[in-house]
Amino acid sequence: MNDINDINEIRSKLNAKGAYNKTNKEVITDWLAHDCAEQFNFGLTLMPKKVFAHYVEGKKPDRHLKKRELETASNRFVDKLNSLVYTKAYARYNKKLAVVMTIEGERSYKDLHTHFALSKPTTMCCIEFANLVREAVDLSGDFWIYDPNFKLDSSKFNEQYRYKLDITDDGWLYYITKELDKHNIHNLYLP
C-alpha cells in the first residue's frame, strides 16, 4: 500500500510540473530534435510533378497529386534511394537509411510537398550522397528536378531546381513538423 502512495505522490509532482500537459506533436518533435538529431544530417524537400487529370478536347490538363499519391511516390523515392546507397545489402538484408518524412501543404493550402530528414552513411562522402539523392529523384520520376517554368535569363540559378538537399541541424526537425496537428500526427512517417 505504501508503494501505491509513493507512485501517486510522484505522479502528482510530475503533473504539477507539467509533465503530462504536452501534446503529441510536442512530444514527437522534442524526441526527434533532442534524441534523434545527431542521426539525421541531411534535409531534403521534394516537389511532386503534376499528373494527367483527364482528356479535354484540344487540352491536356494536369492536376496536383493527392496526399495518398504523394505518400506512395515519396515511399517509392525512399526505396530507390536505399537501393542506390546500399545496393545488394538493401535487397538481401533490408539495410536502410534512417528517414523521417512529413507531407506538408494540406493545412496551409500550399502545393503538397514532402520534407525528409535523412541519415547519410558514415562511409560515404557528402558529394557522393548528394549525387545518389539526385539520381533517386530522377529514377523515381514523380518529382521535379528542374522547374519547367524557369527562365534562363534569371540571375538566380538555384531557383531552377525543384528539390533542395542541404546539411541540417536539429532545427530542421522542428521545421518539418510545424504542420503536425497537436493531437493527430497523420502527416509524419517513420519508414
Side-chain angles (χ1 to χ4, degrees):
M1 189 72 167
N2 194 16
D3 291 339
I4 293 173
N5 290 336
D6 290 342
I7 290 172
N8 288 335
E9 183 180 332
I10 291 170
R11 284 185 181 152
S12 65
K13 285 181 181 178
L14 286 171
N15 199 16
K17 292 188 177 200
Y20 301 115
N21 295 337
K22 285 191 170 187
T23 63
N24 289 345
K25 176 185 175 178
E26 292 168 335
V27 170
I28 290 287
T29 304
D30 287 344
W31 172 70
L32 285 171
H34 295 297
D35 298 336
C36 302
E38 68 279 347
Q39 187 174 6
F40 301 107
N41 44 18
F42 274 85
L44 174 67
T45 301
L46 293 177
M47 299 297 293
K49 292 180 179 179
K50 292 182 181 179
V51 294
F52 177 69
H54 59 280
Y55 184 75
V56 177
E57 192 173 323
K59 296 181 182 177
K60 188 178 174 185
D62 293 332
R63 67 170 175 81
H64 294 282
L65 288 181
K66 295 178 181 160
K67 183 182 173 197
R68 179 66 67 194
E69 294 170 323
L70 181 56
E71 179 183 341
T72 303
S74 298
N75 284 327
R76 212 173 15 249
F77 162 76
V78 171
D79 285 341
K80 295 275 185 206
L81 184 59
N82 280 321
S83 67
L84 289 172
V85 170
Y86 290 116
T87 58
K88 292 179 182 175
Y90 174 65
R92 288 183 186 164
Y93 309 113
N94 204 21
K95 187 167 182 162
K96 298 178 181 179
L97 296 169
V99 176
V100 172
M101 175 178 83
T102 60
I103 294 178
E104 186 178 297
E106 189 175 40
R107 302 182 114 217
S108 59
Y109 303 107
K110 297 186 277 187
D111 290 345
L112 286 178
H113 56 281
T114 310
H115 291 299
F116 296 91
L118 303 168
S119 64
K120 177 189 74 65
T122 56
T123 59
M124 188 176 287
C125 73
C126 293
I127 294 172
E128 183 182 2
F129 185 68
N131 288 336
L132 290 177
V133 168
R134 182 185 168 130
E135 187 177 346
V137 171
D138 194 27
L139 286 174
S140 73
D142 296 311
F143 301 98
W144 291 111
I145 292 180
Y146 298 106
D147 185 356
N149 300 322
F150 178 74
K151 294 182 176 133
L152 200 53
D153 59 342
S154 174
S155 62
K156 298 180 181 175
F157 289 110
N158 62 345
E159 290 180 2
Q160 70 179 321
Y161 297 104
R162 294 292 286 172
Y163 78 99
K164 183 169 179 163
L165 178 70
D166 209 351
I167 296 173
T168 60
D169 58 6
D170 61 343
W172 177 249
L173 292 164
Y174 280 112
Y175 176 76
I176 68 174
T177 57
K178 70 182 178 290
E179 277 197 20
L180 295 181
D181 194 334
K182 288 184 178 182
H183 302 291
N184 188 358
I185 51 175
H186 64 281
N187 287 353
L188 179 70
Y189 304 91
L190 302 167

